[in-house]
Amino acid sequence: MTTTEAPPTNPQRPYRPSAAKQVLAFLRNTWRGLTSMRTALVLLFLLALAALPGALLPQRRLNLGKVEDYISAHGWWGTLLDKLEFYDVYSSVWFSAIYILLMISLIGCLTPRSFDYIRQMRARPVLTPKNLARMPHHRIARTARKPEAIREDVRKQLSGWRRIEREEEDGGYSISAERGYLRETGNLLFHFGMLGLIIFFALGKLYMYEGQVIVQADGSQFCNSGIYNYDSFQAGLRIDGTDLDPFCVKVNDFTARYTPSGEADYYHSNIQYQAGADLQSGTWRPYNLQVNDPLRVVGDRVYLLGNGYSPTFTITFPDGQTRTQNTQWRPTDQTTMLSEGATKFDQPGITDEAQRRTRQIAVTGVLAPTSFVHGGVLTSTAPQLKNPMVAVDVMRGDLGLDAGRGQSVFEVDPTRVADGRLKQVARQNLAVGQEIKLADGTRVRFDGVGTWVNLQISHDPTQVYVLAFAIVMFAGLGGSLLVKRRRVWVRVRPGDEGSPGTVIEVAGLARTDQAGYGEEFQRISERLVTGRKGS
């Protein structure tokens, strides 16, 4: 017969912490996990992984046209990548989140490690072990020299080591010495350099600005006085474009040198600039601007990015008035510099706005620097200006210049062509000096070709700090890899009656797995035992 016991009348309830304690415990464990070195390494790997799309995919801030072409070429996949901010990697939410978490993790890792490092630096070397024979490196010898003479030799041989001397009960003494603390110093410097690099790189993104502008290489000028002078402009979150560093640049010419195969070999442009007091005095200072050799002025850098051609057209209207323009055209083939574009004109002398908008003219088409016509189709065989020609369509009608919306300088609005507000009135290939005569007597003449350069103006006030922390980071990495942490103990005691003399015992321990410490210990022990420099 089995019996069952009755349950206790007052069972003990399991302990359940309060909601506030549970929240605090969760936050504490989250902080500990976030500030561990393992998490910092994982976040660093994720940051490098997240930067790959920025190198492999076109970025909107660098080339909007390539982004649009990529999206249209890849359909739904390209659209999905756009929604996930893969074309704006470095300003995306997910990249910023990894960046901020890595910065917090490094700060949390380095703070306690710095305090531990300070305590270690202030601590005295460890006591000499009782049994030195257990150390990986050990040597014992007997000598006729006096203990005090050996003490002086030890001090000389271990000069530069952190050491402490202790008297022992048997009448002898021991010396504990340590070296290689710069290894941990280098380790901390590497991580602090990385942290500083991250912080100042982020600050640079807040206070930087970068813009591009096309300037005709015929003495035309650009002044850094406002964002409206730029063709494209990107600014940090703390820059509104009203307080740019003032300076002016005058582009006098442009020279390009090509290889026999037509590849670009050398670009340079003779420019002049003025900044500071020169703006008041009108003084221009010369500079030879080349690729990867920017002009540095008032904290900004002026880069030579590219070049192109700008055909010059003169329109003679039926009443005898003329208008001449040379507008930049966009290269579509960098190998031959075949370019396309649109040069737009307003007919003078028309006061009625509605009538004026129906009489606007655009000269569109392609420009071939070294022309070749095959079957009536114009193409270019080389990038040099050897025999320039244009194949143009003359459009007349409403260009939409007064519509209140921006439009590309390189093309006309295709919607106005589609709805009939802009019509083609002539098409012809023109060499320099040739012209087209329209039905109403208007003449369009191709006068020649000029050159333009594409300048990039970059402002980053933290670049010096980023460079300095990068140097600190690599110096710390070198120290942590090359410096060896090691310890040496020396025990000296007088011999007994049966074995007169002095017994000297030397032991060593490498704190890190570094090859070569055995040879160093052999040299040190030889000097300490014999009192002379070892081989």
Side-chain angles (χ1 to χ4, degrees), residues 63 124 243 245 259 300 305 329 369 491 506 520 535:
N63 196 320
R124 304 171 73 183
D243 190 23
D245 295 329
T259 64
D300 289 22
L305 289 188
W329 284 22
R491 176 176 283 130
V506 186
E520 183 186 21
S535 58

Side-chain angles (χ1 to χ4, degrees), residues 17 20-36 39:
K21 290 184 178 180
Q22 290 180 5
V23 171
L24 289 176
F26 173 77
L27 294 177
R28 181 174 61 253
N29 293 334
T30 302
W31 174 253
R32 288 175 178 173
L34 178 62
T35 56
S36 66
T39 303

Side-chain angles (χ1 to χ4, degrees), residues 186-407:
N187 198 354
L188 285 176
L189 283 177
F190 171 76
H191 288 91
F192 272 112
M194 181 184 297
L195 178 61
L197 191 71
I198 292 173
I199 291 176
F200 280 99
F201 188 80
L203 290 176
K205 292 302 179 182
L206 291 176
Y207 293 95
M208 61 78 66
Y209 61 80
E210 185 176 274
Q212 296 184 9
V213 60
I214 290 177
V215 183
Q216 298 292 333
D218 57 0
S220 298
Q221 299 180 24
F222 164 79
C223 288
N224 192 42
S225 56
I227 62 175
Y228 295 108
N229 291 341
Y230 286 91
D231 297 321
S232 63
F233 188 83
Q234 297 89 32
L237 296 177
R238 305 296 298 175
I239 298 295
D240 59 6
T242 60
D243 190 23
L244 306 183
D245 295 329
F247 66 90
C248 291
V249 172
K250 181 191 297 184
V251 181
N252 294 321
D253 60 27
F254 175 80
T255 302
R257 189 171 62 209
Y258 300 91
T259 64
S261 61
E263 297 181 356
D265 179 52
Y266 176 74
Y267 288 160
H268 91 273
S269 177
N270 290 310
I271 68 171
Q272 294 174 290
Y273 69 95
Q274 53 181 203
D278 293 341
L279 292 170
Q280 303 298 327
S281 63
T283 302
W284 290 94
R285 302 181 185 275
Y287 189 81
N288 184 18
L289 187 64
Q290 302 180 46
V291 177
N292 297 325
D293 185 15
L295 166 67
R296 302 177 185 273
V297 56
V298 294
D300 289 22
R301 303 182 307 281
V302 181
Y303 292 92
L304 176 61
L305 289 188
N307 67 291
Y309 295 120
S310 51
T312 302
F313 295 99
T314 296
I315 293 186
T316 303
F317 295 96
D319 60 359
Q321 297 189 70
T322 62
R323 292 292 184 270
T324 300
Q325 288 193 46
N326 62 328
T327 304
Q328 62 267 24
W329 284 22
R330 174 177 53 198
T332 57
D333 185 347
Q334 293 295 333
T335 304
T336 63
M337 292 299 287
L338 185 70
S339 306
E340 64 179 18
T343 306
K344 304 171 185 179
F345 296 85
D346 249 330
Q347 182 169 344
I350 300 178
T351 57
D352 182 80
E353 291 297 322
Q355 184 182 2
R356 183 180 64 84
R357 283 194 293 269
T358 64
R359 304 293 297 174
Q360 293 171 336
I361 294 178
V363 182
T364 68
V366 296
L367 163 68
T370 301
S371 60
F372 176 75
V373 180
H374 179 70
V377 178
L378 177 66
T379 186
S380 180
T381 59
Q384 298 93 331
L385 281 175
K386 293 183 178 179
N387 181 31
M389 288 185 64
V390 292
V392 298
D393 289 334
V394 180
M395 315 291 291
R396 172 174 278 166
D398 185 4
L399 295 175
L401 302 178
D402 304 324
R405 293 181 299 177
Q407 58 178 259

Side-chain angles (χ1 to χ4, degrees), residues 452-463:
W452 55 262
V453 296
N454 187 12
L455 302 180
Q456 176 175 293
I457 288 81
S458 301
H459 174 81
D460 186 357
T462 63
Q463 60 174 334

